[in-house]
Amino acid sequence: ETGVTQSPTHLIKTRGQQVTLRCSSQSGHNTVSWYQQALGQGPQFIFQYYREEENGRGNFPPRFSGLQFPNYSSELNVNALELDDSALYLCASSLFNREYGYTFGSGTRLTVV
Amino acid sequence: AQKVTQAQTEISVVEKEDVTLDCVYETRDTTYYLFWYKQPPSGELVFLIRRNSFDEQNEISGRYSWNFQKSTSSFNFTITASQVVDSAVYFCALSSTGNQFYFGTGTSLTVIP
Protein backbone atom coordinates (compact mmCIF):
# COMPACT_ATOMS: atom_id res chain seq x y z
CA GLU A 1 0.00 0.00 0.00
CA THR A 2 1.61 3.26 -1.11
CA GLY A 3 1.26 6.38 0.97
CA VAL A 4 0.74 9.96 -0.14
CA THR A 5 3.47 11.34 -2.37
CA GLN A 6 4.01 15.00 -3.12
CA SER A 7 6.15 16.72 -5.70
CA PRO A 8 8.35 18.60 -5.86
CA THR A 9 9.96 18.41 -2.44
CA HIS A 10 11.33 21.92 -2.54
CA LEU A 11 10.62 24.86 -4.79
CA ILE A 12 11.82 28.44 -5.07
CA LYS A 13 9.69 30.95 -6.95
CA THR A 14 9.73 34.70 -7.50
CA ARG A 15 6.98 36.98 -6.24
CA GLY A 16 4.23 37.31 -8.86
CA GLN A 17 4.89 33.92 -10.46
CA GLN A 18 2.53 30.96 -10.52
CA VAL A 19 3.19 27.52 -9.03
CA THR A 20 1.65 24.05 -9.28
CA LEU A 21 2.12 21.45 -6.56
CA ARG A 22 1.18 17.81 -7.05
CA CYS A 23 -0.14 15.08 -4.83
CA SER A 24 -0.78 11.38 -5.39
CA SER A 25 -3.25 10.01 -2.90
CA GLN A 26 -2.95 6.76 -1.00
CA SER A 27 -4.37 3.73 -2.76
CA GLY A 28 -8.08 3.36 -2.01
CA HIS A 29 -8.58 6.96 -0.91
CA ASN A 30 -10.99 9.19 -2.86
CA THR A 31 -10.60 12.54 -1.08
CA VAL A 32 -7.69 14.96 -1.05
CA SER A 33 -7.17 17.90 1.30
CA TRP A 34 -4.52 20.60 1.13
CA TYR A 35 -3.01 22.46 4.07
CA GLN A 36 -0.59 25.35 4.33
CA GLN A 37 1.87 25.31 7.22
CA ALA A 38 3.83 28.51 7.79
CA LEU A 39 7.04 28.28 9.78
CA GLY A 40 6.32 27.74 13.46
CA GLN A 41 2.57 27.40 12.91
CA GLY A 42 0.06 24.61 12.68
CA PRO A 43 -1.33 23.54 9.31
CA GLN A 44 -4.18 25.68 7.95
CA PHE A 45 -6.92 24.12 5.81
CA ILE A 46 -6.92 25.38 2.23
CA PHE A 47 -9.55 23.14 0.59
CA GLN A 48 -10.69 19.60 0.01
CA TYR A 49 -11.58 17.79 -3.20
CA TYR A 50 -13.96 14.88 -3.62
CA ARG A 51 -15.20 13.50 -6.93
CA GLU A 52 -13.19 16.16 -8.73
CA GLU A 53 -15.10 18.98 -7.04
CA GLU A 54 -14.21 21.32 -4.22
CA ASN A 55 -15.81 20.13 -0.99
CA GLY A 56 -15.03 22.83 1.54
CA ARG A 57 -12.61 25.72 1.57
CA GLY A 58 -10.71 27.53 4.28
CA ASN A 59 -9.94 31.23 4.49
CA PHE A 60 -7.73 31.46 1.41
CA PRO A 61 -8.11 33.84 -1.55
CA PRO A 62 -9.25 32.66 -5.00
CA ARG A 63 -5.68 32.72 -6.31
CA PHE A 64 -5.38 29.39 -4.49
CA SER A 65 -7.11 26.84 -6.68
CA GLY A 66 -7.06 23.11 -7.11
CA LEU A 67 -7.90 20.14 -9.24
CA GLN A 68 -8.63 16.52 -8.58
CA PHE A 69 -8.24 13.96 -11.35
CA PRO A 70 -10.19 10.73 -11.98
CA ASN A 71 -7.37 8.73 -10.38
CA TYR A 72 -7.87 10.89 -7.24
CA SER A 73 -4.52 12.63 -7.56
CA SER A 74 -4.60 16.38 -7.09
CA GLU A 75 -2.92 19.67 -7.89
CA LEU A 76 -2.70 22.88 -5.92
CA ASN A 77 -2.19 26.02 -7.99
CA VAL A 78 -1.22 29.37 -6.58
CA ASN A 79 -1.23 32.46 -8.80
CA ALA A 80 0.43 35.81 -8.21
CA LEU A 81 2.71 34.47 -5.51
CA GLU A 82 3.34 36.64 -2.48
CA LEU A 83 6.18 36.44 0.02
CA ASP A 84 3.71 35.23 2.68
CA ASP A 85 2.92 32.19 0.56
CA SER A 86 6.27 30.77 1.62
CA ALA A 87 5.32 27.66 3.61
CA LEU A 88 5.18 23.89 3.74
CA TYR A 89 2.20 22.67 1.72
CA LEU A 90 0.80 19.38 2.95
CA CYS A 91 -1.52 17.08 1.09
CA ALA A 92 -3.69 14.52 2.89
CA SER A 93 -5.80 11.76 1.40
CA SER A 94 -8.70 9.95 3.00
CA LEU A 95 -12.04 8.34 2.38
CA PHE A 96 -14.87 10.83 1.99
CA ASN A 97 -16.35 12.28 5.20
CA ARG A 98 -14.16 10.25 7.50
CA GLU A 99 -12.47 12.13 10.28
CA TYR A 100 -10.03 9.32 10.71
CA GLY A 101 -7.73 7.59 8.32
CA TYR A 102 -6.12 10.74 6.99
CA THR A 103 -2.68 10.07 5.51
CA PHE A 104 -0.42 13.07 5.09
CA GLY A 105 2.41 13.45 2.63
CA SER A 106 5.80 14.91 3.52
CA GLY A 107 4.90 18.19 1.88
CA THR A 108 6.36 20.65 -0.60
CA ARG A 109 8.49 23.43 0.85
CA LEU A 110 7.75 26.56 -1.19
CA THR A 111 9.96 29.61 -0.85
CA VAL A 112 8.89 32.85 -2.51
CA VAL A 113 11.64 35.43 -2.99
CA ALA B 1 -15.95 28.66 16.01
CA GLN B 2 -13.43 25.88 16.26
CA LYS B 3 -10.12 26.51 17.96
CA VAL B 4 -7.26 24.51 19.41
CA THR B 5 -4.74 26.01 21.81
CA GLN B 6 -1.38 24.50 22.63
CA ALA B 7 0.10 26.92 25.11
CA GLN B 8 3.47 25.18 25.33
CA THR B 9 5.60 26.30 22.41
CA GLU B 10 8.75 24.40 23.32
CA ILE B 11 9.56 21.79 25.95
CA SER B 12 12.91 20.21 26.77
CA VAL B 13 13.26 17.15 28.96
CA VAL B 14 16.06 14.79 29.82
CA GLU B 15 15.74 11.27 28.50
CA LYS B 16 13.60 8.97 30.67
CA GLU B 17 11.63 11.85 32.15
CA ASP B 18 7.86 11.95 31.73
CA VAL B 19 6.38 14.86 29.80
CA THR B 20 2.81 16.09 29.28
CA LEU B 21 1.73 18.13 26.29
CA ASP B 22 -1.36 20.26 26.87
CA CYS B 23 -4.23 20.81 24.46
CA VAL B 24 -7.34 22.90 25.01
CA TYR B 25 -10.07 23.08 22.40
CA GLU B 26 -13.17 25.14 21.67
CA THR B 27 -16.21 24.02 19.70
CA ARG B 28 -19.97 24.41 19.85
CA ASP B 29 -20.56 21.08 18.16
CA THR B 30 -21.70 18.16 20.26
CA THR B 31 -20.08 15.62 17.96
CA TYR B 32 -16.43 16.16 17.24
CA TYR B 33 -13.13 14.34 17.03
CA LEU B 34 -9.79 15.12 18.61
CA PHE B 35 -6.43 14.04 17.29
CA TRP B 36 -2.75 14.10 18.08
CA TYR B 37 -0.17 14.12 15.31
CA LYS B 38 3.62 13.95 15.43
CA GLN B 39 5.68 15.90 12.90
CA PRO B 40 9.32 14.82 12.64
CA PRO B 41 11.85 16.99 10.79
CA SER B 42 10.97 15.19 7.54
CA GLY B 43 7.66 17.05 7.55
CA GLU B 44 4.91 14.46 7.29
CA LEU B 45 2.23 14.38 9.96
CA VAL B 46 2.14 11.01 11.69
CA PHE B 47 -1.19 10.01 13.22
CA LEU B 48 -1.03 9.08 16.91
CA ILE B 49 -4.60 8.95 18.20
CA ARG B 50 -8.22 9.88 17.51
CA ARG B 51 -10.98 10.28 20.11
CA ASN B 52 -14.62 11.13 19.56
CA SER B 53 -16.56 13.45 21.83
CA PHE B 54 -18.64 10.66 23.32
CA ASP B 55 -15.73 8.58 24.50
CA GLU B 56 -13.97 10.09 27.49
CA GLN B 57 -12.06 6.96 28.35
CA ASN B 58 -8.39 7.61 28.76
CA GLU B 59 -6.14 5.59 26.51
CA ILE B 60 -2.71 4.12 26.89
CA SER B 61 -0.54 2.85 24.07
CA GLY B 62 2.88 1.77 25.19
CA ARG B 63 4.66 4.81 26.56
CA TYR B 64 1.93 7.14 25.29
CA SER B 65 -1.25 8.03 27.16
CA TRP B 66 -4.04 10.51 26.58
CA ASN B 67 -6.36 12.23 29.05
CA PHE B 68 -9.61 13.55 27.59
CA GLN B 69 -11.73 15.76 29.85
CA LYS B 70 -14.82 17.38 28.34
CA SER B 71 -15.44 19.37 31.52
CA THR B 72 -12.25 21.35 30.91
CA SER B 73 -12.19 20.94 27.09
CA SER B 74 -8.76 19.39 27.30
CA PHE B 75 -7.06 16.50 25.57
CA ASN B 76 -3.60 16.14 27.05
CA PHE B 77 -0.86 13.80 25.88
CA THR B 78 1.72 12.22 28.17
CA ILE B 79 4.90 10.46 27.13
CA THR B 80 6.33 8.24 29.84
CA ALA B 81 10.07 7.56 30.02
CA SER B 82 10.81 9.84 27.08
CA GLN B 83 13.36 8.83 24.44
CA VAL B 84 15.45 10.84 22.00
CA VAL B 85 13.28 9.49 19.15
CA ASP B 86 10.32 11.29 20.68
CA SER B 87 11.87 14.63 19.70
CA ALA B 88 9.47 16.24 17.22
CA VAL B 89 6.70 18.79 16.95
CA TYR B 90 3.38 17.53 18.25
CA PHE B 91 0.04 18.90 17.06
CA CYS B 92 -3.37 18.59 18.59
CA ALA B 93 -6.26 18.88 16.13
CA LEU B 94 -10.06 19.11 16.15
CA SER B 95 -12.56 18.08 13.47
CA SER B 96 -16.33 18.07 13.50
CA THR B 97 -17.34 18.39 9.86
CA GLY B 98 -15.41 15.51 8.43
CA ASN B 99 -13.60 17.61 5.89
CA GLN B 100 -11.47 20.03 7.87
CA PHE B 101 -8.98 19.80 10.70
CA TYR B 102 -8.24 22.70 13.02
CA PHE B 103 -4.70 22.39 14.30
CA GLY B 104 -3.04 24.01 17.25
CA THR B 105 0.26 25.82 16.82
CA GLY B 106 2.19 22.79 17.98
CA THR B 107 4.58 21.95 20.80
CA SER B 108 8.21 21.33 19.94
CA LEU B 109 9.58 18.59 22.18
CA THR B 110 13.30 18.06 22.59
CA VAL B 111 14.50 15.03 24.50
CA ILE B 112 18.08 15.46 25.66
CA PRO B 113 20.15 12.30 25.94
Side-chain angles (χ1 to χ4, degrees):
Chain A
E1 174 178 283
T2 58
V4 174
T5 56
Q6 293 187 242
S7 63
T9 307
H10 294 85
L11 200 54
I12 300 176
K13 287 287 190 177
T14 303
R15 189 173 50 183
Q17 285 187 317
Q18 178 266 343
V19 69
T20 297
L21 310 182
R22 295 179 175 82
C23 172
S24 294
S25 58
Q26 179 171 309
S27 176
H29 285 178
N30 56 14
T31 303
V32 175
S33 304
W34 286 91
Y35 286 79
Q36 180 196 66
Q37 185 179 10
L39 197 62
Q41 300 296 315
Q44 299 289 317
F45 176 70
I46 303 175
F47 43 54
Q48 183 184 81
Y49 276 81
Y50 170 64
R51 288 187 176 177
E52 302 176 48
E53 292 193 359
E54 189 177 286
N55 176 54
R57 187 180 184 93
N59 189 26
F60 281 82
R63 58 189 186 83
F64 285 78
S65 62
L67 285 172
Q68 186 184 32
F69 300 100
N71 66 355
Y72 306 124
S73 66
S74 176
E75 287 182 355
L76 164 65
N77 299 290
V78 186
N79 294 322
L81 284 167
E82 300 177 359
L83 297 180
D84 285 348
D85 295 333
S86 296
L88 178 68
Y89 288 85
L90 293 165
C91 170
S93 72
S94 63
L95 288 173
F96 180 65
N97 234 17
R98 299 288 181 86
E99 295 81 5
Y100 52 92
Y102 273 68
T103 302
F104 283 84
S106 296
T108 293
R109 173 73 63 186
L110 172 65
T111 302
V112 182
V113 298
Chain B
Q2 322 272 3
K3 185 179 179 182
V4 174
T5 301
Q6 295 179 255
Q8 304 152 309
T9 305
E10 297 181 1
I11 299 177
S12 291
V13 298
V14 176
E15 199 170 21
K16 298 184 182 177
E17 286 185 345
D18 299 347
V19 58
T20 295
L21 309 182
D22 297 333
C23 172
V24 174
Y25 63 92
E26 296 175 30
T27 181
R28 293 179 181 175
D29 296 320
T30 54
T31 301
Y32 54 89
Y33 298 83
L34 295 165
F35 302 80
W36 275 95
Y37 281 88
K38 175 181 181 180
Q39 188 175 45
S42 53
E44 79 274 20
L45 289 169
V46 179
F47 169 81
L48 296 178
I49 191 171
R50 160 188 171 267
R51 303 300 279 174
N52 72 54
S53 52
F54 299 108
D55 182 3
E56 286 194 70
Q57 264 193 326
N58 292 329
E59 182 159 336
I60 298 174
S61 176
R63 297 184 297 106
Y64 296 169
S65 63
W66 291 270
N67 184 303
F68 176 27
Q69 291 193 346
K70 286 179 74 171
S71 61
T72 56
S73 297
S74 65
F75 186 44
N76 297 336
F77 173 31
T78 296
I79 302 174
T80 302
S82 59
Q83 300 176 0
V84 173
V85 294
D86 295 328
S87 296
V89 181
Y90 291 85
F91 290 97
C92 180
L94 166 70
S95 178
S96 56
T97 63
N99 72 345
Q100 180 173 355
F101 284 88
Y102 294 86
F103 286 88
T105 51
T107 297
S108 178
L109 174 65
T110 301
V111 181
I112 304 166

